[in-house]
Amino acid sequence: MHRAGFLEHKFRELGFHFPERLRYLPNPLLSIPQPALEQGLRSGFLFFGRLSPEKGAQLLIEAFRDLPGTESLFIAGTGPQEAELKQW
């Protein structure tokens, strides 16, 4: 059973009987064509999130420095730790 069928079944099981109000929307990222990888692309890691202490970006930077064989660490986000992390 695909996910839409499973969820529809669960809603009906819980007493939700308005099928016109249920609509399955597949994940749009799965339908976007993926670009072909070009030779020579650098390998690396991406941190994407809020730049605040509880997210651990600083710990990631520290760990990345000790990780052999990696070329790049990309950090995308904003937050209270942004200026501090840029200095690192």
Side-chain angles (χ1 to χ4, degrees), residues 47-87:
F47 172 91
F48 183 82
R50 180 168 164 74
L51 302 179
S52 56
E54 69 274 6
K55 295 296 184 177
Q58 184 172 346
L59 178 63
L60 177 63
I61 292 170
E62 292 170 6
F64 186 81
R65 288 179 176 165
D66 296 330
L67 192 62
T70 55
E71 294 183 29
S72 303
L73 172 61
F74 301 96
I75 297 179
T78 61
Q81 223 180 4
E82 184 175 355
E84 178 186 351
L85 293 174
K86 281 183 180 179
Q87 289 178 350

Side-chain angles (χ1 to χ4, degrees), residues 8 11-12 15-23:
E8 184 178 350
F11 277 120
R12 290 188 190 287
F16 187 84
H17 297 289
F18 303 100
E20 69 279 358
R21 296 179 73 183
L22 294 175
R23 183 174 305 147

